[in-house]
Amino acid sequence: MKKTLFGAILTLLLGACYTPLNNSGVATTKPWLEISGKKMDFDGKQYDSCYQFNVHFWPQEAAEQLDLKDACISACCWRSDKEEVTLDFNKNFEKDLAYYGRARKYSPGKITLKVSHSNLVNTTKVTVSPKGAVRNNGLVKLSYQEHENPARLAQLQAASRRLQARRNAYLIEQAQRQSEADQAQQQARQQAAEQALAKNILLRQAGAKIDAYFYQMNKAYKKQGAVFMLSERILSVTPLNTQGEYAVACHAKARTGVNLKQLKASSFSCGRWRVDLQDASVRPDDRKARQIMDR
């Protein structure tokens, strides 16, 4: 009778500490301990369960030191595989300090969570060490100290300066190349404009005489009973050493022959000319040009 009464009292005392049932129908001693699944034997007793710690951290960066899946925080773990989990916040401290030159050292450095289950009261219990490291709302609040490795920081700063120097040199080189490309494009545009202007000046001042030259040539071919078919005049412009002066070579494509059935392609020079852009003047620069100009 006394044993029965003692068991009932123990059940009531334990029950007062339990949270409501999880979705799996299992009570837990902490609201942040979730039971998402369980395994039962033929007698209806639980022999395994999949638990998960619904905890959060301050500072939040502390969570970066953990494998949240392995720590049963981002996924549930079967109790038969892992009854105890250690959250080691300082496992990478030495390595981070050596690599980055700065690292945080957390306190408490380790928190152990041990999970067990009582079929007597259908409750899963979690024991936290050190006690109170996890608050009832699931907050894991840590303190920390910033540590520095002066030698490594000096190395990183020197490497950063070298990298910045290389980057600056690269940017300067790119800017110079772009400037040179822009200047080349500007020069090309200016040269093209000057060449077009040289052609226009030649056509304005000597175009009529060139046309007259080919007109007389056509008359000469007709007088001999031959065919002269002028197609186009081509002007080739070359800059001279004298600033603002260009040499313009003129020639025309034509088809000539004794009759329309017997034509061949020919090219006829219409002179080499010197064009001065500054005073918009044109001068013959070879015998053909002088012949055309003096007609």
Side-chain angles (χ1 to χ4, degrees), residues 271-290:
R272 173 184 165 93
W273 307 81
R274 183 181 289 259
V275 178
D276 191 331
L277 301 184
Q278 294 182 358
D279 58 9
S281 64
V282 174
R283 301 193 308 275
D285 202 35
D286 67 354
R287 187 173 66 178
K288 176 64 68 175
R290 285 191 292 271

Side-chain angles (χ1 to χ4, degrees), residues 161-187:
R161 287 193 294 269
R162 289 194 298 270
L163 181 62
Q164 187 61 45
R166 288 197 297 269
R167 176 173 174 78
N168 290 342
Y170 171 78
L171 292 175
I172 291 172
E173 182 182 358
Q174 291 296 105
Q176 289 176 343
R177 289 183 178 178
Q178 185 62 48
S179 177
E180 291 172 358
D182 292 343
Q183 289 177 3
Q185 291 179 357
Q186 178 64 25
Q187 290 175 356

Side-chain angles (χ1 to χ4, degrees), residues 53 156 163 206 239:
F53 302 125
L156 293 174
L163 181 62

Side-chain angles (χ1 to χ4, degrees), residues 4-15:
T4 304
L5 180 60
F6 176 76
I9 293 173
L10 179 62
T11 301
L12 289 173
L13 289 174
L14 290 173

